[in-house]
Amino acid sequence: MTDSRRLSAGLAVLTLLFALLLATSYASAQLSNDEIRGDPAVERALQTGERDPVVGPRDNLTVVATDSTAFTSDQGDSARKRAELVAFAPDGSIYYANDSHTRYWDVDPVPGTNATVEYVYAQHLTPEQCDAETVCTRNGVERVNMTTGEVTSVYSRITPGKHSTRWHDVDRISEDRLLVADIDRDRAYVVNTTTELVEWSWDAQADYNTSSGGPYPSDWTHLNDVEYVEIDGRPTVMASLRNQDQVVFIDMERGLREDWTLGEDGDHDTLYEQHNPDFIPAERGGPAVLVADSENGRVVEYQREDGEWVQSWKWKDSRLTWVRDADRLPNGHTLMADSNGDRVLEVDESGEVVWSADIGFPYEAERFGTGDESAGGQSAAALGLPDRTPNASDRGSVGRVKAAAPQKVVNGVAYLMPGWMGTLDALAVLGLLVTVPLLLIVEWRRRDLAVSVRSPLQFRRR
């Protein structure tokens, strides 16, 4: 066999193996009309009401809000994973599941209840429903008793378009007042749900130039999180400006506290397009901020020392890809939601994963009985938490490939690829992109192709 034949045969075998891997993954995903509605266990619970354990046991309910991916039609119909609000019972069975909205974002246990949450949702509406030429989005807050299934509307507003106009976070600060992260208008505001009057607001344009961050006005700050805190005894709003790579503190009477800003636009060593920062006050070992440092593929915590923010803890493993939530629990554990990793996980004080739930594209997770967000947890400095990063033996061959690639590239590929594809499938696609062109080139050069032209015209004598 000639060298060209051997090369051609080898490339053909590799192409076949890559294609078989993709076909097997596609078939095992049990697709229907190219649509994955979500986690299979959750889907069965929605359809049959079964309550068999699907994850490991844990104290109290664990509630997860999941966000689907970017692949949606202009009418808002999901074309990949459908968003779900899911609660896992202490025995690991599915206690509650609902997929009636297009997106689910923030979810907060209601104090004094055992199974009631308030959550932020987005519902894509058609141009006809919007009474406009393009789609719009209803952003709102609802409360659900997950035992009875009773849903109560709390507050909602309609924003134009979708994508970067969908609210990600709303926090309750009193019986009739909500603090809203208005991603559409790049502002944080407090609304009275009884009167529906805005009682306080902060617009990012008051302190930031529109040349910073993302494209203005379509997705400038991507203000994705707010939290009511007290700094020096003064009412303060902590907000996440994702596209400025910053967590900021706004004194509700005096304005932006520039000396408290964590991160800097473009300083990706500190933060890189973060989500869901949690404030830990001095009485629990702070001031500290626990952050899902999304594009860096890690969870990180910063401690306030001598008027500066100093990194006090970081955690990641070989699977953590695009984490968008992290809460410090009262027992010293940290509960995380890894969106592109399709899992919710809990790590103990030594950094070991002690519980996890595989679920499609989680945005936020909450554990009942631990307080809202990190309300019951101490700082990493107070707990003496050790850093955790994956070493070479943890990664394996796939993990080493991921580690070699820029984190933003890894995140982007994971976000864009179809829901049935895993890391190996993505590598198989890359393999096909290499082997197929090479095979065609080798075959073209190997064959002695002769080209002849015959005139289609024939002449006859009459």
Side-chain angles (χ1 to χ4, degrees):
M1 182 182 290
T2 64
D3 290 342
S4 62
R5 283 183 177 274
R6 290 192 186 95
L7 179 57
S8 179
L11 289 171
V13 170
L14 282 175
T15 300
L16 180 61
L17 289 175
F18 290 144
L20 284 174
L21 175 60
L22 289 172
T24 301
S25 297
Y26 184 89
S28 64
Q30 298 178 343
L31 292 177
S32 174
N33 296 323
D34 294 329
E35 178 182 15
I36 298 177
R37 292 193 61 191
D39 182 82
V42 176
E43 192 62 24
R44 287 194 299 271
L46 287 169
Q47 293 177 356
T48 68
E50 70 175 37
R51 291 295 183 265
D52 295 332
V54 295
V55 298
R58 222 68 196 149
D59 291 340
N60 293 319
L61 293 173
T62 304
V63 189
V64 183
T66 76
D67 167 28
S68 59
T69 71
F71 297 108
T72 54
S73 72
D74 288 339
Q75 283 69 44
D77 299 323
S78 176
R80 187 185 173 192
K81 298 172 185 173
R82 182 170 298 170
E84 297 158 334
L85 183 69
V86 182
F88 296 103
D91 67 355
S93 64
I94 294 174
Y95 187 83
Y96 175 84
N98 193 341
D99 67 349
S100 57
H101 291 301
T102 313
R103 297 286 194 276
Y104 292 91
W105 306 99
D106 175 54
V107 57
D108 298 321
V110 175
T113 70
N114 295 320
T116 299
V117 294
E118 286 185 339
Y119 56 86
V120 177
Y121 70 87
Q123 189 68 48
H124 293 169
L125 304 177
T126 65
E128 292 75 20
Q129 292 171 309
C130 302
D131 194 22
E133 295 182 358
T134 60
V135 297
C136 62
T137 301
R138 178 175 293 280
N139 299 280
V141 180
E142 290 179 339
R143 177 179 292 200
V144 60
N145 182 322
M146 295 184 294
T147 302
T148 65
E150 181 182 0
V151 176
T152 304
S153 177
V154 176
Y155 176 71
S156 70
R157 283 292 181 270
I158 290 179
T159 58
K162 51 181 181 178
H163 301 307
S164 298
T165 71
R166 297 179 295 234
W167 297 350
H168 289 22
D169 189 35
V170 175
D171 279 6
R172 181 170 292 280
I173 58 177
S174 68
E175 184 177 351
D176 57 0
R177 297 167 74 228
L178 296 177
L179 174 61
V180 180
D182 187 353
I183 196 171
D184 175 48
R185 298 189 181 183
D186 301 294
R187 64 171 180 163
Y189 71 90
V190 174
V191 62
N192 186 309
T193 56
T194 301
T195 64
E196 297 201 353
L197 295 176
V198 173
E199 299 182 346
W200 175 90
S201 68
W202 173 80
D203 191 320
Q205 289 192 64
D207 295 286
Y208 285 85
N209 192 295
T210 55
S211 62
S212 66
Y216 178 86
S218 59
D219 189 18
W220 175 41
T221 64
H222 204 92
L223 198 159
N224 59 20
D225 191 80
V226 287
E227 185 174 326
Y228 178 83
V229 302
E230 288 193 0
I231 304 295
D232 302 327
R234 301 188 64 84
T236 302
V237 171
M238 182 181 72
S240 169
L241 306 183
R242 191 200 73 173
N243 288 350
Q244 276 76 8
D245 308 307
Q246 293 177 21
V247 177
V248 300
F249 293 80
I250 306 118
D251 187 309
M252 297 183 73
E253 296 178 359
R254 301 177 181 178
L256 182 69
R257 293 282 303 265
E258 293 187 41
D259 57 326
W260 273 72
T261 296
L262 169 60
E264 185 178 351
D265 193 7
D267 175 17
H268 296 159
D269 290 335
T270 303
L271 294 175
Y272 193 1
E273 297 191 359
Q274 72 289 334
H275 289 78
N276 279 319
D278 286 354
F279 184 75
I280 300 175
E283 56 266 29
R284 289 190 277 114
V289 178
L290 175 66
V291 193
D293 192 8
S294 307
E295 290 293 354
N296 280 326
R298 65 182 183 177
V299 173
V300 66
E301 185 168 320
Y302 288 91
Q303 184 81 14
R304 189 78 173 166
E305 296 181 5
D306 299 324
E308 302 289 338
W309 290 109
V310 178
Q311 187 183 113
S312 55
W313 183 67
K314 62 181 178 182
W315 191 97
K316 73 177 299 180
D317 66 4
S318 58
R319 182 175 169 182
L320 201 73
T321 307
W322 195 46
V323 60
R324 292 198 290 173
D325 186 38
D327 297 345
R328 181 66 40 69
L329 306 181
N331 62 359
H333 294 191
T334 307
L335 185 66
M336 308 175 185
D338 181 16
S339 295
N340 277 341
D342 290 330
R343 64 171 174 164
V344 172
L345 63 153
E346 180 182 342
V347 302
D348 65 13
E349 291 174 285
S350 67
E352 296 299 317
V353 177
V354 294
W355 180 84
S356 66
D358 288 339
I359 184 169
F361 218 62
Y363 182 79
E364 183 169 88
E366 291 284 342
R367 176 75 48 75
F368 265 79
T370 64
D372 180 22
E373 310 287 356
S374 297
Q378 293 181 283
S379 70
L383 294 167
L385 300 184
D387 289 348
R388 166 69 183 267
T389 55
N391 54 43
S393 61
D394 292 332
R395 291 191 175 112
S397 58
V398 174
R400 284 191 289 272
V401 172
K402 290 174 62 178
Q407 186 65 42
K408 195 172 181 70
V409 172
V410 173
N411 296 342
V413 170
Y415 184 79
L416 292 173
M417 66 186 183
W420 54 272
M421 290 180 65
T423 303
L424 282 175
D425 302 307
L427 293 176
V429 170
L430 293 177
L432 286 173
L433 292 175
V434 173
T435 59
V436 171
L438 283 178
L439 181 60
L440 292 174
I441 292 171
V442 170
E443 283 295 302
W444 178 269
R445 290 182 174 180
R446 189 174 67 83
R447 296 173 184 240
D448 184 16
L449 297 177
V451 179
S452 63
V453 178
R454 178 178 295 174
S455 172
L457 300 177
Q458 295 182 355
F459 298 91
R460 285 185 189 175
R461 292 189 180 182
R462 290 182 179 267

